[in-house]
Amino acid sequence: MPYILQTYHLTKAIGEKELVSDVNLHVKKGEIYGFLGPNGAGKTTVMKMITNLWKPTDGKVEIFGETLTPQSYEVLKRMGSIIEFPTFYDHMTGYENLKLHTEYMGYYHHGSIENALDMLDLTGAAGKPVKNYSLGMKERLGIARAILCKPELLILDEPTNGLDPAGMKQIRELLKTLCGEYGITILISSHILSEIESIADTIGVINRGRMRKEISMEEIEQMSLAYIELSAQDSRKAAYVLCEKLGITNFKIMEDGQIRIYDSHVSTQELSKELALNDVPVTAFGKKAETLEDYFLKMTTEVESDVKTD
Amino acid sequence: MLKLIKLEWQKNNIGKYVRNAVILAGVLCLFVFAHAYLGIANDPDTGVPDAAPGNETISAPIELFTSISFLVFTGVMLSSFIVSAYKNKTMNLMFSYPIRRQRILISQMLAVWIFNFTALVLTKLLLYGCIMMGSRFMVSSFPIDFDMTGLEFYVQLIVKSVVIVTMGFIALFIGMAMKSSKATIVSSFLLIFLTQANVGDFTMADNVVFPVVLTMISLLSVYKAEIRDLM
């Protein structure tokens, strides 16, 4: 599988403190990669190293099959990015800012600026100085600038910050179009899963500077996140019945004595019948589903408790 | 490179600086003219110019005031072109372009240098010109000690202007190290005292080595831009 962007044991330390350690990231050509992690997890640090603003302390970044060095300038032509918050020359108009961008990128295509402004609904505001823009408009202008030169790889660091729900939806639709119609690979970071789960093909979870998991949405969908929850007066006896009589091993006894059975093949009728036969009174029964949000929350909190026990 | 410099001017609203430089030149011209012909620097009792030793001729105040003004002007411009760009993160944007960072920094420095050098030369020519025109009708309090018809006059004028404007890079170096626009401007003030003023008989105004060495150190800092992280 060709990766358009790959990092190998990427590490960045400032002074004694390691901001990110040993991050291995794999972005396939033509996909939308959601880079997920809580605030301060190291998302921006990784993205700064990918865009060559920061140099790694250890490890390396490979883009378009080339390893990044301090002298890698040509690859920047093929990338568009927003790192942290987009900055502009405030006294200049939106149009002038984009024009300036094309000059520096050496990209001259008739109508490209108008097209980018149109895609982000900024045509009406193009003639206004950027200092009069709202937060959301600046964010949209930043995205317009990032896609202006038709990059092959788009790097967006929390691009929907400061946007209202309608604006977020619009950006999501736009990113899907860019990826689907123009074949642009997108690496987008966020601390909110729901924001990217509907568009991402692969999700990478980073926490406390370490890559926790890299998983495709397909795999997530196949993973059974649904479970049967039952409450029994004697949970130990119930567990014995599940294990010995029904041959179920994929279950978990929770702290409050409830049992969660993740095996999707068992029917509730079968369960209740067998438990009743073995004289285990059941007080509550129910089918539940864990959301993806719970799954990731679990993943990040597990890590935190690991850290605490360390 | 020329294109990069032009873009720098465009981005930083060069029209504003042109206007200010013209105003500054006008004010300096009036001031020096008043020195020579209106007697503002004369001792009220004796009517003789009250000048420090070695500064009795008219070219001394012209050189001093233009140098002071444009060194500070250079400091201000460098701080808004470069130091502020680091502070308000537009430098992050600049460094995301497929252009060598050294080229970007040099183009920014040259954008300021060319502007100030031109402005300084033009201002000096204006001042000398005004004084010479005035001398046809009035008598200057300070003796006129220059000859605008000789080539040597222009060579001196250009060399001195180059030195003054280039010294602005020392202020830039300090401003960058301290990550502060204010430090850049304050340093440019201090540089004047260090290089133009005199303490008793001691002055560094004639010492060329000192500013040259400082400037070289400052320019070396540009070479580190390629590998340094942008905070």
Side-chain angles (χ1 to χ4, degrees):
Chain A
M1 181 61 71
Y3 291 116
I4 198 166
L5 164 67
Q6 225 176 330
T7 68
Y8 299 88
H9 309 289
L10 198 62
T11 302
K12 179 71 190 176
I14 291 183
E16 294 281 290
K17 196 168 185 274
E18 272 197 7
L19 298 178
V20 294
S21 340
D22 207 19
V23 170
N24 295 305
L25 189 107
H26 306 85
V27 181
K28 286 178 217 144
K29 193 167 165 33
E31 73 168 352
I32 299 183
Y33 187 103
F35 196 27
L36 198 66
N39 291 327
K43 302 186 292 292
T44 303
T45 307
V46 171
M47 287 180 146
K48 277 183 173 170
M49 287 191 277
I50 292 170
T51 49
N52 223 356
L53 286 176
W54 283 13
K55 315 297 176 218
T57 313
D58 206 3
K60 63 173 183 171
V61 179
E62 203 179 274
I63 300 184
F64 310 120
E66 274 176 51
T67 303
L68 271 194
T69 66
Q71 276 74 41
S72 303
Y73 286 102
E74 282 305 305
V75 292
L76 296 176
K77 269 191 189 164
R78 301 161 71 182
M79 287 161 69
S81 63
I82 302 181
I83 304 292
E84 292 177 317
F85 196 77
T87 46
F88 300 98
Y89 297 97
D90 283 349
H91 63 276
M92 297 170 83
T93 66
Y95 186 90
E96 284 168 342
N97 267 288
L98 296 190
K99 181 94 180 88
L100 203 61
H101 181 77
T102 57
E103 296 279 349
Y104 280 119
M105 293 293 277
Y107 183 89
Y108 308 98
H109 276 258
H110 187 69
S112 58
I113 299 178
E114 288 79 4
N115 191 19
L117 285 166
D118 187 47
M119 272 186 176
L120 275 299
D121 277 345
L122 284 167
T123 311
K128 280 203 282 181
V130 175
K131 63 181 169 215
N132 297 340
Y133 277 32
S134 70
L135 203 66
M137 281 162 84
K138 279 187 186 172
E139 199 68 68
R140 294 216 303 271
L141 186 62
I143 296 171
R145 185 170 60 190
I147 63 172
L148 182 56
C149 302
K150 296 277 176 305
E152 289 165 60
L153 175 64
L154 192 58
I155 304 210
L156 302 172
D157 186 11
E158 311 216 0
T160 49
N161 269 356
L163 292 185
D164 52 28
M168 284 187 193
K169 188 159 183 284
Q170 188 200 1
I171 299 299
R172 280 201 295 268
E173 298 295 323
L174 176 74
L175 294 181
K176 261 194 214 167
T177 316
L178 287 174
C179 184
E181 283 181 24
Y182 300 98
I184 298 177
T185 309
I186 303 173
L187 171 64
I188 175 173
S189 79
S190 179
H191 59 277
I192 307 162
L193 172 74
S194 58
E195 210 179 85
I196 48 174
E197 69 175 319
S198 60
I199 54 167
D201 299 304
T202 304
I203 283 185
V205 183
I206 187 171
N207 194 20
R208 290 173 183 263
R210 285 181 180 276
M211 199 70 165
R212 297 304 168 185
K213 198 157 187 103
E214 225 178 10
I215 187 167
S216 73
M217 285 307 278
E218 267 175 28
E219 279 176 81
I220 292 179
E221 274 154 26
Q222 281 165 8
M223 249 168 33
S224 91
L225 293 174
Y227 60 91
I228 298 169
E229 190 171 72
L230 66 90
S231 306
Q233 279 171 348
D234 187 346
S235 48
R236 277 184 59 193
K237 197 170 171 191
Y240 171 79
V241 174
L242 290 177
C243 197
E244 295 297 318
K245 305 282 177 184
L246 289 163
I248 303 169
T249 48
N250 191 4
F251 67 88
K252 199 168 170 184
I253 302 176
M254 309 306 287
E255 279 175 10
D256 52 5
Q258 285 185 333
I259 299 171
R260 283 185 185 178
I261 301 155
Y262 295 96
D263 203 325
S264 54
H265 308 297
V266 213
S267 72
T268 43
Q269 288 95 331
E270 207 182 333
L271 265 175
S272 53
K273 190 178 153 196
E274 197 62 42
L275 288 166
L277 278 174
N278 286 283
D279 207 17
V280 182
V282 175
T283 51
F285 227 132
K287 257 194 159 167
K288 297 213 169 140
E290 196 176 31
T291 63
L292 205 50
E293 194 86 56
D294 294 334
Y295 175 73
F296 282 106
L297 207 60
K298 202 169 72 188
M299 201 180 310
T300 45
T301 44
E302 265 170 20
V303 171
E304 267 160 36
S305 54
D306 284 354
V307 173
K308 274 175 200 158
T309 48
D310 286 348
Chain B
M1 185 56 99
L2 194 65
K3 193 182 150 199
L4 284 179
I5 293 173
K6 277 187 189 159
L7 287 173
E8 282 305 319
W9 282 338
Q10 189 192 337
K11 270 183 344 199
N12 287 288
N13 209 353
I14 195 72
K16 194 176 74 187
Y17 293 102
V18 172
R19 190 195 64 203
N20 293 346
V22 169
I23 294 173
L24 178 63
V27 171
L28 282 172
C29 188
L30 276 177
F31 186 60
V32 173
F33 198 81
H35 252 76
Y37 300 115
L38 305 178
I40 58 164
N42 292 359
D43 192 315
D45 300 328
T46 58
V48 176
D50 198 2
N55 288 349
E56 294 94 348
T57 57
I58 190 65
S59 64
I62 292 179
E63 289 295 330
L64 184 65
F65 293 129
T66 50
S67 302
I68 290 177
S69 309
F70 278 94
L71 188 50
V72 175
F73 207 92
T74 310
V76 171
M77 277 181 82
L78 284 171
S79 86
S80 76
F81 274 54
I82 305 178
V83 183
S84 301
Y86 273 100
K87 280 187 83 178
N88 63 26
K89 304 240 169 172
T90 47
M91 215 52 151
N92 280 17
L93 176 67
M94 288 304 298
F95 284 179
S96 71
Y97 291 130
I99 304 165
R100 288 177 69 86
R101 293 180 179 189
Q102 288 167 358
R103 265 172 74 91
I104 292 174
L105 277 172
I106 290 170
S107 75
Q108 288 175 328
M109 288 160 82
L110 276 177
V112 176
W113 195 92
I114 293 171
F115 179 87
N116 280 285
F117 172 72
T118 316
L120 181 54
V121 169
L122 290 178
T123 306
K124 280 186 179 178
L125 287 177
L126 173 76
L127 262 58
Y128 282 116
C130 279
I131 296 295
M132 208 174 69
M133 291 291 281
S135 70
R136 292 191 179 179
F137 313 106
M138 289 174 272
V139 178
S140 172
S141 317
F142 289 81
I144 291 171
D145 61 332
F146 59 90
D147 173 19
M148 284 184 83
T149 55
L151 181 67
E152 198 201 349
F153 168 80
Y154 295 98
V155 173
Q156 277 244 340
L157 189 140
I158 287 172
V159 170
K160 281 184 180 170
S161 303
V162 167
V163 170
I164 290 296
V165 178
T166 312
M167 261 179 12
F169 294 144
I170 304 169
L172 172 68
F173 173 66
I174 297 169
M176 295 253 275
M178 295 177 74
K179 292 192 172 65
S180 151
S181 321
K182 288 187 195 107
T184 317
I185 299 168
V186 171
S187 317
S188 65
F189 268 105
L190 294 177
L191 277 170
I192 296 162
F193 295 127
L194 208 59
T195 56
Q196 303 293 317
N198 49 320
V199 180
D201 288 340
F202 180 73
T203 175
M204 288 177 81
D206 307 320
N207 190 337
V208 188
V209 180
F210 177 66
V212 167
V213 168
L214 279 184
T215 309
M216 294 304 284
I217 295 172
S218 311
L219 290 178
L220 281 177
S221 66
V222 175
Y223 283 93
K224 288 194 291 185
E226 223 70 22
I227 43 161
R228 207 167 40 198
D229 288 340
L230 203 56
M231 288 298 161

